[in-house]
Each structure stands twice: as structure tokens, then as C-alpha cells.
Amino acid sequence: MSGMFFSDFRTIYWREGAVYLVDQSKLPHSLEFIKCVSYREVCEAIRTMKVRGAPAIGAAAAYGLALAAHNSGARTRAQLIEDIKKAYEELRSTRPTAVNLFWALERVLRRAMAVKDGVEDVKKAVIEEANKIAEEDVEVNKRLGKIGAQLIDDGDTILTHCNAGALATVGYGTALGVIRAAVEGGKRIKVIATETRPKLQGARLTVYELMKDGIPVTLITDNMVGYCMYKGMIDKVIVGADRVLADGHVINKIGTYSIAVLAKTHGIPFYVAAPFSTFDLDSKVKDVIIEERKPEEVLCVMGLRIAPEGAKAFNPAFDITPPEYVTAIITERGIIRPPYEENIRRILSLSAWS
Ligand code: MRU
């Protein structure tokens, strides 16, 4: 199958001093880009989840720094670096869990600091680095997709959770990238997508993307996963990640852990598709901040109140899946299998982190 809409679609790009981002909050009803002309607008877009998904957040933040540099009135290199650092701090505080945010910001800041020449050279380098991060994201996802497609059999029905697709990245997607690559390779694949309460990324985004590409998809509510597995309706699970730790713990959208436990009980392979930029080799599981969002997201559905006035709600946005539930992690460098501590170290050579 070729000519899929989302094979070449870019969700984030830089043009003439502005950053354009798909407004994911408007989907599936309309596909619109927001134009950001200041880094504060990018902060707002990340905070309000107009742009969401770990790699997309990383690329957007990198462009946020590009805007800060581009708009700076600094006369000296030192002043410009101060302006960039200020934006860096604000962008860092937009969301706490997806490590791509910190990875991308660090990378752009390091590039800025490495330029020892004048203001214009630093500005140029920062914009260049942000563009590079965005371009690489698509290349990496395509590579990861091809590698992961080897795990997929013709005729498989694959369950995915949340949206780890083109929309969650700059293009092509991670978990959905594997599915796209399998379909492009001629395999007949069906997808079951969980709706992903409370923000409905599965219903609104994954189903939209797959339908647009003509890949058969069926939507279920989050609490139907066990039944579908029990009925033998699911051959494999593939999800994305917001952070993968050195020991193989996977932090991803709330609900992932329950799916992983169910998959193990039913003998269904549970795969995580994650690029190198999502790995955090430094943190321990206790160090990871799981974002807690407003109770209103649980108390309401698409703005409509569903619980009685005064009701309390708990709203962790992510959960942690221990390594024993993960069959393999698909990366752009290859497929990593347990024991993760050892095999992650081997595949992600430490030089790539410097
Ligand atoms: O809160 P979100 O929508 O930003 O969470 C997104 C996820 O959990 C995705 O599964 C993850 O970022 C992988 S995206 C390739």
C-alpha cells in the first residue's frame, strides 16, 4: 500500500520566523495548524496539549528555543544565551514526564553554547538544530517502523493505546509507524484502538490517522481490552513511550500498564516502539515525575460534566510498566529484548549521549 496521507505529512515546521503546529485539540473535526510567533505561545500549546506526544513535544520545544533566539533583541552573544536560557527554563516546565522535551531542549541549548561567534551565528545555529531535530524524528520513525514491521505477521490484529502516530511525532509515528511500515510492506493488518480516557487521544487521533490512511481500525473503550484478549481478538500489542529507563521500565499513557498485565496473562506479545530520544539512562523509576492533570479532565468528557458537582477525581496522565511485562522494545537501532539493563546498554552506546 502506498500513498498513505500520513506517510509524508509533517505536523510541525518552521517557516519565515514562525512555527506551525497541528492543533491536535481540534481533531478529528478539523485539521488546522496553529502559528506560533513567540516561545510563550509554544509553551502554551504544549501545556494545553494542542501539541502532545513525546517526540512532537520535543520538536515543538526545540522550535520554541528557535523562536526565542530569532526574536531576541540581544546585542551580544552573552545576552542572547541569557534569552535562550530563560526560554529553556519556561519550556522545560510545560510538562514533566516525556523525556523528549528535556532531550530536545538540552540538545539545542548545547548547540547554542558551542557557537563562539556573534549573535547572528548563534541564532542561525539554534534554528538549524531545531530543524535537524524535526527532520531526524521522521527519519528515525521510518527506520524504527521498518525494523518493527519484522515482528508483525500478515493478518495480525494489533491493539494500540493512546496515539503514538504521526500526530504524536513530527511525522510517520512510532507505534503507528510500525503498523504503517507493515502495511507498506504488503501485510494485511487490522488495528484495535483504545479510546484513551480522559483526553481520548485514541478515539480522536489514532482512529482519525488510521482511517485517513485506509488502515482498518476498530475503536473500543479502555475497559474492553480484557474481553477482547479473552476472545482471542488481539495478536499483538504495540504502544509508544514517553520515557524508557535503563532497566526497561516504560512510562507511557495511563492505562498502558493494565494492558501489559493483561497481555502477559493472555500470552500476547507486548511491544513498545520508542526512538533513542525517548530513552532516559540516568533516572531511576522513583525519580520520574508522573504528571497529574486537572480533575476536570476526568469529571468531564469533552467539556461536558459527567460527575456530580463536588465529586473528587484523580488524574495521573501516565503509568509505569515494569520490564517483565515488555516482550521487546523497538528502536531505530534494532529490537531490544530482555535482559534490558544489559541489552539497552549494549545497543545504545554511551557515545550517542554525549
Ligand atoms: O499526554 P500525551 O497525549 O502527550 O501522551 C502521549 C503518550 O503517552 C504517547 O503514547 C507517547 O508520547 C508516545 S508518542 C510517539
Side-chain angles (χ1 to χ4, degrees):
M1 182 169 173
S2 61
M4 289 194 277
F5 179 82
F6 276 107
S7 281
D8 296 310
F9 184 79
R10 296 289 172 273
T11 62
I12 303 173
Y13 61 91
W14 171 271
R15 188 187 291 157
E16 292 165 8
V19 180
Y20 295 81
L21 311 165
V22 167
D23 184 346
Q24 298 191 44
S25 67
K26 295 261 171 71
L27 286 166
H29 307 295
S30 67
L31 180 59
E32 292 173 32
F33 279 83
I34 334 168
K35 180 180 178 185
C36 298
V37 293
S38 74
Y39 79 84
R40 289 224 162 96
E41 287 175 346
V42 175
C43 289
E44 189 55 16
I46 297 174
R47 234 180 256 121
T48 56
M49 293 177 67
K50 288 188 167 62
V51 58
R52 40 68 47 200
I57 293 170
Y63 278 128
L65 287 189
L67 282 173
H70 179 79
N71 294 337
S72 169
R75 299 217 168 171
T76 64
R77 179 188 171 279
Q79 273 171 3
L80 176 58
I81 297 287
E82 277 317 297
D83 287 348
I84 294 170
K85 280 188 177 164
K86 185 166 173 268
Y88 165 95
E89 291 302 337
E90 281 182 48
L91 284 156
R92 263 185 86 87
S93 68
T94 50
R95 291 191 76 187
T97 308
V99 82
N100 303 62
L101 173 70
F102 312 110
W103 169 85
L105 287 169
E106 219 62 62
R107 187 169 147 176
V108 177
L109 182 63
R110 217 183 307 134
R111 175 78 194 273
M113 310 264 274
V115 180
K116 298 293 174 211
D117 307 321
V119 166
E120 289 313 310
D121 292 305
V122 177
K123 288 188 176 186
K124 204 169 139 239
V126 167
I127 296 166
E128 221 173 73
E129 197 63 24
N131 277 327
K132 220 165 137 202
I133 286 174
E135 274 161 38
E136 278 175 21
D137 182 61
V138 183
E139 281 164 31
V140 158
N141 294 338
K142 290 202 167 172
R143 213 174 316 139
L144 179 158
K146 236 186 201 155
I147 290 170
Q150 298 164 25
L151 296 169
I152 310 304
D153 295 308
D154 186 27
D156 271 352
T157 298
I158 299 170
L159 179 101
T160 190
H161 184 54
C162 192
N163 173 263
L167 292 162
T169 62
V170 181
Y172 205 70
T174 56
L176 297 193
V178 173
I179 291 168
R180 272 194 180 99
V183 172
E184 281 171 344
K187 292 175 185 164
R188 285 158 303 174
I189 308 297
K190 288 186 185 145
V191 178
I192 294 183
T194 53
E195 66 173 350
T196 320
R197 273 283 283 148
K199 298 287 285 182
L200 304 172
Q201 293 94 327
R204 295 189 304 104
L205 309 174
T206 295
V207 172
Y208 171 80
E209 267 195 38
L210 293 174
M211 284 181 72
K212 198 110 175 127
D213 275 354
I215 299 173
V217 55
T218 302
L219 177 66
I220 60 170
T221 60
D222 300 325
N223 50 1
M224 294 175 189
V225 173
Y227 178 74
C228 292
M229 288 187 178
Y230 178 80
K231 293 293 279 181
M233 292 165 68
I234 296 164
D235 299 301
K236 277 150 198 148
V237 176
I238 311 180
V239 296
D242 289 83
R243 216 186 264 232
V244 178
L245 304 187
D247 60 4
H249 276 88
V250 172
I251 292 97
N252 191 48
K253 180 51 56 192
I254 190 76
T256 303
Y257 174 44
S258 320
I259 295 172
V261 173
L262 279 165
K264 189 164 183 173
T265 297
H266 290 275
I268 296 168
F270 179 89
Y271 297 121
V272 174
F276 206 10
S277 53
T278 300
F279 281 70
D280 172 2
L281 297 186
D282 301 323
S283 304
K284 298 276 169 249
V285 79
K286 65 173 176 34
D287 305 324
V288 178
I289 300 173
I290 299 293
E291 178 181 14
E292 255 186 61
R293 297 186 62 85
K294 286 188 296 201
E296 282 67 31
E297 290 179 356
V298 173
L299 296 167
C300 304
V301 175
M302 301 301 289
L304 184 72
R305 179 100 191 169
I306 54 165
E309 282 308 322
K312 287 188 192 149
F314 177 46
N315 188 14
F318 302 97
D319 63 23
I320 301 159
T321 301
E324 58 268 30
Y325 294 99
V326 180
T327 309
I329 305 172
I330 305 160
T331 76
E332 70 273 32
R333 293 187 170 211
I335 295 164
I336 312 175
R337 292 190 185 266
Y340 289 114
E341 190 91 60
E342 197 181 313
N343 292 338
I344 288 174
R345 290 270 161 202
R346 189 180 306 152
I347 204 162
L348 307 175
S349 75
L350 285 170
S351 62
W353 287 85
S354 58

